[in-house]
Amino acid sequence: KQEVTQIPAALSVPEGENLVLNCSFTDSAIYNLQWFRQDPGKGLTSLLLIQSSQREQTSGRLNASLDKSSGRSTLYIAASQPGDSATYLCAVRGQLTFGKGTKLSVIP
Amino acid sequence: GAGVSQSPRYKVAKRGQDVALRCDPISGHVSLFWYQQALGQGPEFLTYFQNEAQLDKSGLPSDRFFAERPEGSVSTLKIQRTQQEDSAVYLCASSESGGSGNTIYFGEGSWLTVV
């Protein structure tokens, strides 16, 4: 059974810092990996989708990488802003299995 | 519609009551998913539809949970004889095609509290 782990569980950084969120998965036979953002009381917003054949995807200040062979993905956020504060979840397809998320707080 | 729409947004049910949660996927989306998210946890897969066919229901926690999508668009998740452990957010998601390469879009969820 696929298991997805996200480290750290929570992260607090001052505004302007660059940061990295980590995601690991146990079964490398995935179709793709998707990063989501979840604000309190809200659903999930898709940030980036990386196909299994790709190594990275970029959108604005976000860059996600994928190393299928080692079962790892990272989400890099450049020049963090208070509006980036949310929980970030990664999910792998197959069945779309989620990690528990990293709760990010960006302090003004 | 513009996005995935779920109703009701909030539901308080007495233990033993039946509830029905509705999901309107993005128009034309073939794939539809239901997830359960407990407080502080990531979403857990419940079931998956491709059009009207329920292709995977391996995540449904018990036979009290039932999902349908009779015309391949709107879906309903029904929970019979609700228990306190059913309290969670129920998230619906859809994607454009039956392939695994598409972005999945989520609704804002139905928050169920069983008292």
Side-chain angles (χ1 to χ4, degrees), chain A residues 1 31-32 34 36 38-49 51 87 89 93-101, chain B residues 9-10 31 33 35 37 40-43 45 48 56 58 91 95 98-104 106-109 111:
Chain A
K1 180 185 173 185
Y31 293 111
N32 59 50
Q34 198 164 346
F36 294 87
Q38 188 172 32
D39 293 281
K42 301 289 187 182
L44 281 68
T45 300
S46 178
L47 297 173
L48 289 165
L49 171 69
Q51 302 294 350
T87 297
L89 294 142
R93 197 89 188 266
Q95 204 179 50
L96 201 65
T97 303
F98 282 84
K100 292 185 178 181
Chain B
R9 286 293 322 277
Y10 303 95
S31 297
F33 307 79
Y35 285 81
Q37 186 176 23
Q41 303 293 315
F45 172 82
Y48 163 62
D56 188 345
S58 61
L91 295 164
S95 70
S100 299
N102 299 104
T103 298
I104 294 179
F106 279 80
E108 297 211 328
W111 295 66

Side-chain angles (χ1 to χ4, degrees), chain B residues 36-76:
Chain B
Q36 180 190 58
Q37 186 176 23
L39 194 64
Q41 303 293 315
E44 296 280 345
F45 172 82
L46 293 177
T47 187
Y48 163 62
F49 290 85
Q50 189 168 321
N51 294 308
E52 69 278 5
Q54 190 174 20
L55 298 187
D56 188 345
K57 55 181 181 179
S58 61
L60 296 176
S62 77
D63 59 7
R64 296 186 296 103
F65 286 72
F66 172 77
E68 60 182 6
R69 194 186 185 197
E71 296 179 0
S73 55
V74 171
S75 177
T76 303

